Amino acid sequence: MTVKTKRSVLLLEPLEGRTLFCGDVTAILQNGSLMISGDSGDNQVVISSPAAGVTTITGRDNTTVNGQAEISLAAISGTPLLLASRSRST
């Protein structure tokens, strides 16, 4: 007597990349002044001026800026204001 074994072929399908965002900061340009405030996440940003009259704010370590990885603003004439707080869980 012959026994036939049916074999299943297993296929793996790769998933698209996943990015887990730690937090989001809000950057607002109002009357020439830049105001940046963060949420309760571990927010990290870099503020730079790659060209005259242009300010770039780039999120680091999965932080977004206004929901994006990076934003560029022009016409900043006032002093930047950074609103930051540190909360600790016990």
Side-chain angles (χ1 to χ4, degrees):
M1 178 167 146
T2 305
V3 176
K4 292 185 179 182
T5 303
K6 190 173 186 177
R7 291 186 174 206
S8 297
V9 177
L10 301 176
L11 301 174
L12 296 177
E13 182 178 327
L15 298 174
E16 65 277 356
R18 304 273 194 233
T19 301
L20 301 175
F21 296 107
C22 286
D24 185 59
V25 299
T26 302
I28 300 170
L29 184 59
Q30 186 174 18
N31 298 325
S33 293
L34 173 63
M35 292 180 283
I36 301 174
S37 61
D39 62 9
S40 62
D42 183 15
N43 302 310
Q44 296 183 32
V45 296
V46 174
I47 303 170
S48 61
S49 183
V54 177
T55 300
T56 300
I57 305 164
T58 306
R60 299 218 24 196
D61 292 331
N62 297 323
T63 296
T64 58
V65 182
N66 295 350
Q68 302 175 46
E70 176 181 279
I71 65 166
S72 291
L73 302 170
I76 295 176
S77 59
T79 302
L81 174 63
L82 178 61
L83 304 174
S85 66
R86 182 177 182 98
S87 62
R88 293 186 174 187
S89 58
T90 56

